[in-house]
Amino acid sequence: AEEAVYRSHKDWEDTFETITDAITIHDSNYNIIRTNKAGKELLNLPELEKNLKLKCYTYYHGTEKPPAGCPSCNCIKDGMSGIFEIFETHLNRYLEIRAIPRLNNNKQVVGLIHVVRDISEHKRFEFELINAKEKAEENDKLKSAFLANMSHEIRTPMNGILGFAGLLKNQKLSIDDQQTYIEIIEKSGQRLLSTINDIVEISKIESGQLVIHNKKINLNNVFKELFDFFKPEANKKSIELICDNVQNKSELIIETDLTKLNQIITNLLINALKFTETGSITFGYKLNEQFVEFFVKDTGIGIAPENQEIIFERFRQGSISLTRDYEGSGLGLSISKAFIELLGGKIWLKSELNAGTTFYFTIPIK
């Protein structure tokens, strides 16, 4: 009989100490009176043999008194066992806690037992799966929207080209009508070519085929050419185009890829003209240590706060609906961001709805 008692006790002790779940045993005053090895490691407990008053809420929650609504406290009060998951800020872990009441011979509650499992890794995988699912659903939505938008962006100018080309066959057309139809065909062709160029650039970015061709350039000359190119378009919309007096600054020579820098600023100016109906567009640059900081500022419709985080993603234009008010593939900002990062800089924006937007980006001087 003694051997059976000894063996039963020894088996229990060995199991208690070696089980990987943390076990803490508490009295009715929330003191931890015993724990296994896993519990000591989880809670970083001192030696219990010193008979210190180790309040469970201090080591679990990092508080000086039982927190309101603690399920374990309720277990001591009403004697009901329970299981719950909780993120313990004090321990920086997700825990699954089983609270079991301790009863005396009269079935009165004299404390509780915690069986605690660290489920932080499980929760991390769970969150990753949820994020992956949401990302996959978002990508699928964007892909469908992209295909629909590309179809729209290609079919619309193609219809214009074919339709007005057919009208030109009418030999009774006046010279003015012919000129109007030819201008519409040219504009539709330019829009179609722009869409195709964007798709080609995105394909190069995806496949890592972009190559940098650095050479020394005069920034003032670059900005003067851009100003002269976009000034007629701004005049058509009665928008003031301002080049921030770069012509009056001393000559600034930098070493970078001229083609990509031109395309970045061009994309930003095209966007500014597209989304600005009245007011002005200002573009320029300033020196900032080893970088040149460029900006394009408009007084247009602005960008909603919820769209400012996603505006640089591919196929975004604030809206992915075909009923959006502005044409375009939604690839310009994504291409610009890729070019800027390839050149060693970064891009950001400041915007307010109905008050305008300012895009900033930097590239190294050399």
Side-chain angles (χ1 to χ4, degrees):
E2 289 175 352
E3 177 62 24
V5 171
Y6 170 79
R7 178 49 51 198
S8 176
H9 180 73
K10 184 71 166 60
D11 288 345
W12 188 89
E13 288 289 342
D14 290 344
T15 303
F16 180 74
E17 285 298 334
T18 58
I19 194 169
T20 55
D21 287 346
I23 301 175
T24 53
I25 301 175
H26 312 241
D27 63 19
S28 58
N29 292 318
Y30 307 106
N31 295 311
I32 301 173
I33 58 177
R34 188 166 185 196
T35 184
N36 64 351
K37 182 180 178 181
K40 290 178 182 178
E41 292 175 352
L42 174 68
L43 301 176
N44 194 25
L45 289 169
E47 294 298 327
L48 295 176
E49 290 76 9
K50 295 180 180 179
N51 294 321
L52 299 173
K53 297 295 184 182
L54 305 180
K55 298 296 185 183
C56 62
Y57 44 78
T58 300
Y59 289 91
Y60 275 100
H61 308 299
T63 60
E64 297 182 356
K65 60 181 181 179
C70 174
S72 297
C73 300
N74 295 336
C75 178
I76 290 180
K77 293 175 182 177
D78 57 29
M80 298 294 292
S81 60
I83 178 172
F84 55 94
E85 293 181 3
I86 187 171
F87 178 74
E88 287 290 359
T89 307
H90 176 62
L91 300 174
N92 195 30
R93 297 170 185 264
Y94 280 95
L95 302 178
E96 178 190 83
I97 300 178
R98 295 174 183 269
I100 306 164
R102 291 177 66 220
L103 306 176
N104 61 14
N105 291 337
N106 297 321
K107 296 185 178 181
Q108 296 174 324
V109 178
V110 293
L112 68 91
I113 300 171
H114 270 161
V115 181
V116 184
R117 179 167 296 174
D118 185 350
I119 58 171
S120 300
E121 196 68 11
H122 170 78
K123 282 292 184 181
R124 183 177 69 83
F125 283 127
E126 183 180 305
F127 292 145
E128 287 178 354
L129 284 173
I130 292 172
N131 290 334
K133 176 177 177 292
E134 291 175 350
K135 189 67 175 177
E137 291 173 347
E138 179 69 6
N139 286 339
D140 186 61
K141 181 180 178 182
L142 285 176
K143 181 183 72 174
S144 299
F146 169 67
L147 292 174
N149 287 342
M150 285 302 98
S151 174
H152 174 76
E153 288 299 319
I154 293 172
R155 288 162 60 91
T156 300
M158 279 300 298
N159 286 336
I161 293 169
L162 295 174
F164 285 96
L167 290 175
L168 285 174
K169 294 178 181 179
N170 186 347
Q171 297 180 355
K172 296 181 179 180
L173 283 177
S174 66
I175 298 298
D176 289 341
D177 287 340
Q178 288 180 8
Q179 190 63 35
T180 300
Y181 295 167
I182 290 171
E183 289 175 359
I184 292 173
I185 290 172
E186 286 180 343
K187 185 176 180 181
S188 297
Q190 290 170 356
R191 178 177 171 183
L192 180 60
L193 182 61
S194 175
T195 298
I196 294 171
N197 285 338
D198 283 349
I199 295 172
V200 171
E201 291 295 349
I202 281 294
S203 299
K204 288 181 179 179
I205 293 169
E206 285 282 359
S207 59
Q209 294 180 357
L210 288 178
V211 180
I212 297 295
H213 298 286
N214 286 338
K215 66 177 182 179
K216 292 182 179 180
I217 61 173
N218 185 329
L219 270 188
N220 285 350
N221 291 341
V222 172
F223 273 75
K224 184 178 186 309
E225 290 173 2
L226 288 166
F227 178 83
D228 292 340
F229 182 82
F230 282 100
K231 182 63 175 174
E233 189 68 25
N235 289 341
K236 285 182 183 178
K237 298 186 69 174
S238 299
I239 295 171
E240 184 181 8
L241 184 65
I242 304 169
C243 200
D244 195 31
N245 298 322
V246 294
Q247 291 88 347
N248 298 331
K249 294 181 180 178
S250 59
E251 186 178 81
L252 178 60
I253 305 298
I254 69 170
E255 191 171 322
T256 191
D257 189 313
L258 175 60
T259 301
K260 290 179 175 55
L261 177 62
N262 256 323
Q263 188 164 348
I264 293 164
I265 302 174
T266 295
N267 285 344
L268 294 177
L269 286 172
I270 288 173
N271 273 357
L273 283 165
K274 184 188 299 183
F275 298 109
T276 303
E277 297 300 328
T278 59
S280 64
I281 296 171
T282 306
F283 69 110
Y285 67 86
K286 65 179 181 179
L287 292 178
N288 185 3
E289 297 181 356
Q290 299 301 313
F291 290 83
V292 182
E293 182 179 299
F294 300 86
F295 65 90
V296 177
K297 180 180 180 181
D298 64 59
T299 58
I301 61 174
I303 302 170
E306 64 269 18
N307 288 331
Q308 292 180 19
E309 292 294 325
I310 63 172
I311 200 70
F312 294 107
E313 294 179 14
R314 290 164 195 175
F315 322 130
R316 297 281 195 174
Q317 199 191 59
S319 170
I320 59 176
S321 169
L322 288 179
T323 60
R324 64 196 193 285
D325 297 328
Y326 301 93
E327 65 182 42
S329 63
L331 295 174
L333 285 177
S334 176
I335 292 170
S336 297
K337 181 175 183 291
F339 283 177
I340 290 165
E341 292 175 350
L342 198 64
L343 295 174
K346 62 179 182 178
I347 185 170
W348 67 99
L349 66 91
K350 293 181 180 177
S351 184
E352 185 178 342
L353 274 179
N354 303 315
T357 302
T358 304
F359 283 93
Y360 302 89
F361 71 93
T362 60
I363 60 170
I365 293 177
K366 185 174 182 180

